[in-house]
Amino acid sequence: MLNNLTDILVCPVCKNGVRIEEKALCCLGGKHKFDVAKEGYVNLATGHMPGGDSKEAIAARTSFLGKGYYAPAAEVLERAVRDYLPNGSALIDAGCGQGWYSNRMAGQGYRMLGFDLSKFGCARAAKDASLQGLDNAAYAVASVYTMPVSDACADGVLNIFAPCAGQEYARVLRDGGYLFLLGAGKQHLMGLKRALYETTYENAERADLPTAMTPVETRRATFEITVEGQDDIAALFSMTPYYWRTSEADKAKLQALDTLTTEVDMLLYIYRK
Ligand SMILES: C[S@@+](CC[C@H](N)C(=O)[O-])C[C@H]1O[C@@H](n2cnc3c(N)ncnc32)[C@H](O)[C@@H]1O
């Protein structure tokens, strides 16, 4: 609910604080006003920003995650957050997508503010928060590189399979705050790759780790999943970068499967400001 997170937000244009008036987010400078959509999110994108994930991509991820395939990874993330930050801490989910991870964290008592370039993602996330009765989760369309929040406002930043804007995360974290960066490990979705390609390679190490914060530790979430049915297999495939770079002939191999067993291998990097 935006009402409960206006202490963190600032106007994306003039950087003044904000308040909710009727169904709009208004800056305290009195000049800028952003309508709250019926789902409960607000669009704070300025200038010419790209649109983020499509309606179809958000729907596929919502369906896949909602079936619990990645629940063990969410549990590794949640345990790590609990180890470093107490209940009630303010967390920003940078690149929150459909808000599946954020709404889980809000359900455990954290104050969640999610940003994503996709208005479809923010709409889904806000609607699910409302359906789950979560008044401690709010969502806004904005880039992770220029988040409309004040300096040092957050106890933690979550960044899950989304662009890592290290300088901006350092700006919004308070001193002693934590960044939780979840992404693909070397063996992530190897079974999916084996089903698609003759030759498979391990994922390269990520090259976008933040430099302005102190690394604390790295945890790993590794497990196997069996994805049941073409709808779920297609949803998982559409969540990967391979979706955009696979030939029709190789896609056909995946389309012939009824089940797909694959490794899930995620790395959680934890940094301290
Ligand atoms: C692979 S999805 C991950 C979504 C979510 N964190 C999850 O793991 O379910 C990446 C998300 O990053 C968003 N995104 C990409 N570039 C962005 C940017 N510069 N600012 C904000 N969001 C961005 C996309 O719209 C998409 O929702």
Side-chain angles (χ1 to χ4, degrees):
M1 227 182 180
L2 283 160
N3 249 333
N4 293 334
L5 284 136
T6 46
D7 55 324
I8 298 179
L9 284 161
V10 298
C11 172
V13 182
C14 65
K15 314 295 178 203
N16 276 303
V18 292
R19 65 168 169 258
I20 298 283
E21 272 178 25
E22 296 188 359
K23 289 187 175 159
L25 189 83
C26 303
C27 76
L28 300 180
K31 284 191 181 152
H32 309 110
K33 194 171 165 182
F34 306 86
D35 290 337
V36 178
K38 65 176 187 313
E39 296 88 353
Y41 76 96
V42 64
N43 191 336
L44 299 178
T46 52
H48 296 290
M49 286 186 186
D53 272 13
S54 66
K55 194 174 182 176
E56 293 72 27
I58 293 295
R61 212 175 312 112
T62 301
S63 160
F64 184 86
L65 293 173
K67 291 184 180 168
Y69 289 115
Y70 279 2
E75 284 160 16
V76 169
L77 171 71
E78 289 158 7
R79 201 170 307 123
V81 172
R82 279 200 304 273
D83 285 346
Y84 287 96
L85 294 169
N87 246 342
S89 298
L91 307 182
I92 291 175
D93 186 355
C96 61
Q98 63 301 315
W100 184 74
Y101 293 95
S102 287
N103 284 335
R104 283 180 63 115
M105 296 295 322
Q108 294 174 31
Y110 290 91
R111 296 177 74 209
M112 299 302 307
L113 182 55
F115 293 116
D116 201 284
L117 280 180
S118 170
K119 65 178 180 185
F120 306 108
C122 291
R124 181 74 259 164
K127 200 168 176 182
D128 283 350
S130 158
L131 288 171
Q132 292 169 39
L134 299 168
D135 62 5
N136 53 344
Y139 297 93
V141 177
S143 171
V144 299
Y145 294 96
T146 52
M147 295 189 284
V149 291
S150 48
D151 295 353
C153 66
D155 301 303
V157 170
L158 310 185
N159 184 225
I160 306 164
F161 285 92
C164 177
Q167 293 286 349
E168 179 67 348
Y169 302 157
R171 177 187 74 81
V172 305
L173 280 171
R174 64 164 167 81
D175 285 344
Y178 291 91
L179 168 65
F180 301 88
L181 191 60
L182 186 66
K186 284 184 179 171
Q187 291 287 321
H188 190 48
L189 301 182
M190 210 39 135
L192 172 71
K193 289 202 257 185
R194 278 195 298 268
L196 286 168
Y197 311 122
E198 293 284 309
T199 313
T200 53
Y201 300 96
E202 289 189 333
N203 296 317
E205 286 192 14
R206 58 189 299 170
D208 61 349
L209 293 173
T211 50
M213 282 177 269
T214 310
V216 179
E217 62 160 318
T218 305
R219 297 186 187 188
R220 204 164 168 204
T222 47
F223 50 97
E224 198 174 82
I225 53 171
T226 295
V227 184
E228 303 282 353
Q230 255 308 307
D231 287 352
D232 290 4
I233 294 172
L236 173 62
F237 182 47
S238 76
M239 289 161 59
T240 70
Y242 319 117
Y243 182 76
W244 303 103
R245 50 169 115 117
T246 298
S247 69
E248 290 306 318
D250 283 342
K251 280 184 188 171
K253 293 189 224 162
L254 205 61
Q255 284 158 1
L257 299 179
D258 292 328
T259 61
L260 171 78
T261 298
T262 184
E263 302 84 340
V264 173
D265 177 19
M266 298 189 194
L267 281 179
L268 175 65
Y269 297 91
I270 304 171
Y271 283 77
R272 185 171 195 270
K273 181 180 168 189

